[in-house]
Amino acid sequence: MECSHDCSNCSENCSDRKENFLAPANALSNVKHVIGVISGKGGVGKSTVTALLAVTARKNGYKVGILDADITGPSIPKMFGVHQIADAMDEETILPVESATGIKLMSINLLLEDETEPVIWRGPILAGTVKQFWSNVAWGDIDYMFVDMPPGTGDVVLTAFQSLPLDGIVVVTSPQELVGMIVAKATKMAEMMNIPILGIVENMSYFTCPDCGSKHYIFGKSDIREYAKKAGIDKVVELPIDPENARLADAGQIEKAFSEELFDIIQ
């Protein structure tokens, strides 16, 4: 049908509609690729996967940024050992904080005097903050921007899907999830928003015995690859339980970790 370009009275999810909702990029930002990292539920290691993607991209020579859209549960700054308050250029423009290896970060915890202070805001304010992190932060030149989404399919995720120029998403899951239901919710939301699914990461998939090298599927071996095949998702990465990665994240030294296999998912 002929488009009237009045999205308020139209239910079609076309490219024009998406353009209508995109938040303006900051004039001092030049971001080439924006990748969202989502999960159907919390506690599956979504932020850890986001951090590992960023670290590995940086070690491959790319200019990298992380937009922490998990406003009520920010964990990115702590993983990178970053605790200072972000500087402002003026009343409208904020400078991201750089990690030890030059990864640019923006998170609500970089704007709070006390990083343990809870963020008790309603949905519209949370969603508006995500758009501000895109429009009011001078990111500079970025090859890969990774967006750490909150879990689920609520207001903030919807706002990010509509407001940010996402090139695709990575879905994070774990073996103990009800894969056929919870992962499907996240992937179907992406499909409804016409956002490509780059791949699925099954975190805590197995444990490798340090003595014999054999794999042990502590939570049971999942059927994630079968699900991905049925859903038409080509790339699946199974990440092991790695106590060293957990230690590095807790110590603010996640940049010492590395996962080339994980980075392949966005190539």
Side-chain angles (χ1 to χ4, degrees):
M1 296 176 64
E2 186 176 348
C3 180
S4 66
H5 302 288
D6 181 7
C7 297
S8 62
N9 294 315
C10 178
S11 61
E12 294 295 325
N13 191 27
C14 65
S15 58
D16 284 346
R17 182 180 184 87
K18 182 169 179 61
E19 289 291 334
N20 186 66
F21 283 100
L22 285 177
N26 186 275
L28 299 176
S29 297
N30 178 29
V31 182
K32 294 180 181 177
H33 302 289
V34 184
I35 309 295
V37 184
I38 71 170
S39 64
K41 63 185 291 293
V44 300
K46 170 183 52 59
S47 295
T48 300
V49 169
T50 302
L52 288 174
L53 278 166
V55 168
T56 307
R58 182 66 183 140
K59 289 182 178 179
N60 276 277
Y62 294 101
K63 298 175 182 178
V64 180
I66 299 179
L67 191 161
D68 189 355
D70 194 353
I71 307 299
T72 60
S75 55
I76 292 297
K78 178 176 173 57
M79 289 185 183
F80 285 85
V82 173
H83 303 284
Q84 66 263 41
I85 301 295
D87 292 327
M89 290 181 63
D90 51 48
E91 292 183 358
E92 297 292 331
T93 308
I94 305 169
L95 292 172
V97 177
E98 289 196 20
S99 71
T101 64
I103 296 174
K104 295 181 179 180
L105 311 174
M106 180 47 61
S107 171
I108 194 65
N109 265 12
L110 301 178
L111 301 176
L112 301 175
E113 292 291 342
D114 180 1
E115 63 183 19
T116 65
E117 180 181 343
V119 177
I120 309 174
W121 296 344
R122 295 191 183 276
I125 299 177
L126 297 173
T129 302
V130 171
K131 290 194 285 187
Q132 285 183 306
F133 282 175
W134 175 255
S135 299
N136 294 94
V137 175
W139 289 100
D141 291 328
I142 296 288
D143 295 314
Y144 284 99
M145 168 78 72
F146 297 100
V147 183
D148 185 18
M149 306 276 193
T153 56
D155 282 353
V156 176
V157 178
L158 178 60
T159 295
F161 276 20
Q162 291 181 323
S163 303
L164 306 183
L166 293 171
D167 293 292
I169 63 166
V170 175
V171 181
V172 182
T173 182
S174 59
Q176 70 268 34
E177 285 195 59
L178 300 175
V179 172
M181 179 182 71
I182 297 175
V183 175
K185 288 181 182 291
T187 56
K188 285 182 178 179
M189 181 179 184
E191 291 167 357
M192 291 171 65
M193 303 297 294
N194 293 324
I195 297 175
I197 301 169
L198 302 177
I200 297 178
V201 176
E202 183 178 78
N203 194 29
M204 300 177 285
S205 182
Y206 58 90
F207 175 74
T208 301
C209 176
D211 297 322
C212 66
S214 61
K215 291 183 179 180
H216 299 273
Y217 294 88
I218 296 174
F219 299 110
K221 195 167 183 178
S222 74
D223 57 354
I224 188 65
R225 292 189 179 274
E226 289 76 7
Y227 170 80
K229 184 177 181 180
K230 291 179 181 178
I233 301 171
D234 295 328
K235 295 183 178 181
V236 176
V237 173
E238 297 176 356
L239 290 182
I241 297 172
D242 191 339
E244 178 61 11
N245 281 353
R247 185 191 70 80
L248 291 173
D250 287 342
Q253 299 175 343
I254 195 65
E255 288 167 293
K256 293 182 179 180
F258 190 76
S259 178
E260 193 66 45
E261 181 185 18
L262 184 59
F263 185 66
D264 287 342
I265 206 168
I266 65 170
Q267 295 297 289

